[in-house]
Structures are given as structure tokens and as C-alpha cells.
Amino acid sequence: TLEWGWGRYVAAYDDLSVEVKSAYLRRQGYHRFADVLAHVMAWWNEGRLLITAYVNNPHYKPGERDVDQFNAEAVKAYADKTEEDVRRAFEAARRSMIEFVLGLPPDALESESVMGQLNMEVVGHLAEHTLAEY
């Protein structure tokens, strides 16, 4: 999913017409595509932190998070960046996430917590931001 789904995500967005891009962003609740990418990167980072915690302590239980506030902070962190800067950061984060997953110890992939987090941040998140219906 990181290689093919997220790897083609930006190009798939770029292939949309201006009208469809606008409809997609409205439906997603963001003003610009860079905001969507910032949101995804923030959750990947959060996922990495949680996965690392699960690997280090299989009994780790994360605290509650205000999702709306987290998302707003993610967008705010990139608000002063250009679309191109955010796209470059997204690609670097995507590649880093691939390396992170490939570097996990083999037994981590047997952990329900680790696999659940990966599924949520990578697979499920792509489904939430799908471009397939456009």
C-alpha cells in the first residue's frame, strides 16, 4: 500500500480535472491538497511512534487523542509551506515509512497491535482518502 497506493496518490490527484480536485477537497474537508498530505504525514508519524511503543512494550496502551485538534495541528504545521514543498515532504515521509516497516523486527509483524496500527495508518487511511471514485 505504501509503495503502490500511496506511491501513486499524488499523480492520481494531479490527473483529476480542476473541478474534480475541488470536489475532492471539499468532500475531504481541506482547502488545499497540501493539507491532505500534511494530515497523512502527521498520522504516519503518530503511527510510527505507537508502533515503536508496541514493539518496546507489547502491553503499551496509548492515551486518548483529540482527533480534530491533531488534524488541525497537522495542517497548521505545513500552512506556510508551498504545495511543492509539502509534496516533497510527503514523498520523503512515504519512503521513510516504507523503510520503517521493512526495518521492523519479524516478531513485530505477529503483533496484533502493530499490525492493527499499520492497517489503520496505511491501508485504512488510504481508503479514507481514496481517489478511486473520482
Side-chain angles (χ1 to χ4, degrees), residues 5 15 40 86 103 115 127 134:
D15 286 343
V40 171
V86 177
M115 293 308 292
Y134 292 92

Side-chain angles (χ1 to χ4, degrees), residues 8-113:
R8 295 180 179 164
Y9 184 69
V10 172
Y13 177 82
D14 288 344
D15 286 343
L16 301 174
S17 70
V18 172
E19 295 81 20
V20 173
K21 286 177 184 175
S22 193
Y24 173 77
L25 292 175
R26 272 193 313 278
R27 190 170 188 188
Q28 291 292 311
Y30 291 100
H31 296 291
R32 59 188 194 138
F33 187 58
D35 297 341
V36 177
L37 298 179
H39 159 87
V40 171
M41 286 187 288
W43 283 107
W44 284 349
N45 189 53
E46 180 73 3
R48 287 170 74 139
L49 293 172
L50 289 170
I51 290 166
T52 300
Y54 295 138
V55 167
N56 292 331
N57 176 5
H59 304 291
Y60 176 76
K61 300 290 183 213
E64 292 294 316
R65 174 167 297 287
D66 181 328
V67 173
D68 292 335
Q69 180 181 350
F70 182 87
N71 290 335
E73 290 171 3
V75 170
K76 187 177 178 181
Y78 285 88
D80 64 339
K81 305 290 185 208
T82 67
E83 180 92 15
E84 191 56 39
D85 287 342
V86 177
R87 286 170 176 242
R88 277 193 296 274
F90 175 81
E91 180 58 19
R94 185 185 71 83
R95 290 181 183 276
S96 179
M97 190 69 173
I98 291 170
E99 290 175 20
F100 173 76
V101 172
L102 292 174
L104 287 171
D107 61 330
L109 301 178
E110 297 173 14
S111 163
E112 189 174 308
S113 297

